[in-house]
Structures are given as structure tokens and as C-alpha cells.
Amino acid sequence: MTAANVLTARALLLDMDGTLVNSDAVVERCWRQWSAKHGLDADEVMKVVHGRQGYASMALLLPERPMAENHAENREMLARETADMDGVVPIPGAPEFMASLAGLPHALVTSADVGLSTGRMAAAGLTLPEVRVTAENVGASKPDPEGFLKGAAELGFDPADCVVFEDSGAGIAAGQAAGMRVVGVGPRAGEYGPTVWVDDLTQVRVSADAGVLRLTFG
């Protein structure tokens, strides 16, 4: 755990994969198959795909390919991922963390679509927040800040009053570009300069008083 021991906020914006849900087993299976199909180094591909929508990752990895093909293949990828929940589990501390947010302002902001996010949260035994920003709601993938800005607007709070929870470089960059403080969760997050970094959600406690959320780390 690094940086501040306490942050205060009015609302929390939560990424899903790698932050609340460990879906790495599925992501590895699907993207390594995709890498083999396109003759790409799977280890290098895995450095790109976390946090982004699939079409955006494909655009970086196959820069000469028409975007329409990326969108078409991304639909196939989403279908495979949605059908494969083997190994999807909660990040340590996620059930307790989500339970502590009941009745407090928070939203899910994920690069997954509705079907995939609903399936993975259910597979991990986590309750979906009432406010959700999914792939269908944005025109640009993380690291663009659109999703987080929409989440703040849906909740009715200024971006500066929101704290983002993220695991990936693309997601952390998106939160920072939105003008928000970012809690980095897990092994991928530490190298991308979040405001606070934790191993997992067992190191986060949430309390509230008069509309102010107090996040204590450690």
C-alpha cells in the first residue's frame, strides 16, 4: 500500500475486471487464442488488452486493419467471454467492500458490455450497482475519460469529488484524465502512478458521515 492512508470523496466509480472481479483466466484464454489466430506474440498482446474495450486493443495490435473488422471481431470476442465464466472469482475483499457501499453513491464503469458485466458480477457473487456505465454507453474506450465522466454525471457529482478504483494502465489514465483521484488495485496498478495503491480490496475500508465518504487504506 502506497501514498495517502485516507481519502475523502462524495462518490466512487468502480472498474470491474481486475478491480472487483478476477477474470484473468478467461481473458487469458480468449486473447491467447486470438493472438494465435493473428500470429501475434500472446505475451505482448496481454500487455495491451487490460482495461480497454476489445476493438480498441485490436486497433493498437493490428493498426492497418479497418476499424469495422475490429468491431466485428470484438462482438465475437464478447460472445466467447460471456459464455465462459470458468475461473471468474471476486477480488479478495470485494464482497465486503461492495456490501459497505450499500446506500452510498457509487457506479460501475466498465469496458465490458451489459451481458458480460452482468455475467461476471453474478459469477463472482457480487451485487451490481444501480448506476452502470458499460461499453454501450460510451463512444470511446479507456484511456479516454468519457466513461468516468458519465459515471460522475449520472451520480450527480463533480469529477473532483469522485474517486476511481482501477487496476489497469488504461483505466488509471482514464480516471486521471477525468480529473479524479485513483485507487490502484492489484499487481498491474502500481506502476501507473495511482493516488493510492493497494494489493486488493481487503486493504480498503469505507465509512460515511454527512455525505462524505472516508476511505481508509492499510
Side-chain angles (χ1 to χ4, degrees), residues 10-11 31 34 43 46 63 65 72 102 116 145 164 188 208 215-216:
R10 303 299 296 272
W31 280 99
W34 183 88
D43 290 335
M46 296 312 302
R65 192 166 78 160
L116 184 57
V164 165
R188 284 189 288 268
L215 310 175
T216 306

Side-chain angles (χ1 to χ4, degrees), residues 17 40 45 58-59 67 83 121 154 158 174 184 193 199 208:
D17 292 302
L40 298 175
V45 168
M58 293 170 187
M67 187 59 77
M121 290 288 281
E154 283 283 324
D158 187 272
D199 286 319

Side-chain angles (χ1 to χ4, degrees), residues 14-17 20-21 85 88 90 98 108 110 115-129 132:
L14 314 173
D15 173 53
M16 182 182 70
D17 292 302
L20 300 175
V21 174
M85 295 293 159
V88 174
M98 293 302 289
L108 190 72
T110 176
L116 184 57
S117 59
T118 301
R120 283 185 176 166
M121 290 288 281
L126 301 176
T127 301
L128 275 169
R132 299 185 290 276

Side-chain angles (χ1 to χ4, degrees), residues 80-91:
R80 286 197 298 275
E81 289 186 290
T82 303
D84 184 357
M85 295 293 159
D86 187 23
V88 174
V89 296
I91 293 292

Side-chain angles (χ1 to χ4, degrees), residues 150-176:
K150 284 195 169 183
E154 283 283 324
L155 292 171
F157 292 99
D158 187 272
D161 290 329
C162 298
V163 167
V164 165
F165 281 71
E166 264 285 1
D167 74 298
S168 69
I172 290 168
Q176 292 169 337

Side-chain angles (χ1 to χ4, degrees), residues 35-52:
S35 302
K37 175 183 175 181
H38 293 283
L40 298 175
D41 184 319
D43 290 335
E44 294 303 311
V45 168
M46 296 312 302
K47 294 176 183 178
V48 172
V49 300
H50 293 291
R52 293 180 171 86

Side-chain angles (χ1 to χ4, degrees), residues 87-212:
V88 174
V89 296
I91 293 292
E96 297 81 3
F97 174 72
M98 293 302 289
S100 75
L101 298 184
L104 302 178
H106 67 288
L108 190 72
V109 181
T110 176
S111 294
D113 64 5
V114 169
L116 184 57
S117 59
T118 301
R120 283 185 176 166
M121 290 288 281
L126 301 176
T127 301
L128 275 169
E130 289 185 16
V131 177
R132 299 185 290 276
V133 179
T134 61
E136 294 92 340
N137 304 129
V138 297
S141 171
K142 300 171 184 176
D144 191 283
E146 181 185 1
F148 288 123
L149 292 172
K150 284 195 169 183
E154 283 283 324
L155 292 171
F157 292 99
D158 187 272
D161 290 329
C162 298
V163 167
V164 165
F165 281 71
E166 264 285 1
D167 74 298
S168 69
I172 290 168
Q176 292 169 337
M180 301 172 184
R181 291 155 295 156
V182 181
V183 177
V185 180
R188 284 189 288 268
E191 64 184 283
Y192 297 108
T195 311
V196 176
W197 173 76
V198 295
D199 286 319
D200 56 43
L201 294 172
T202 65
Q203 296 182 325
V204 184
R205 295 181 299 284
V206 182
S207 59
D209 182 43
V212 176

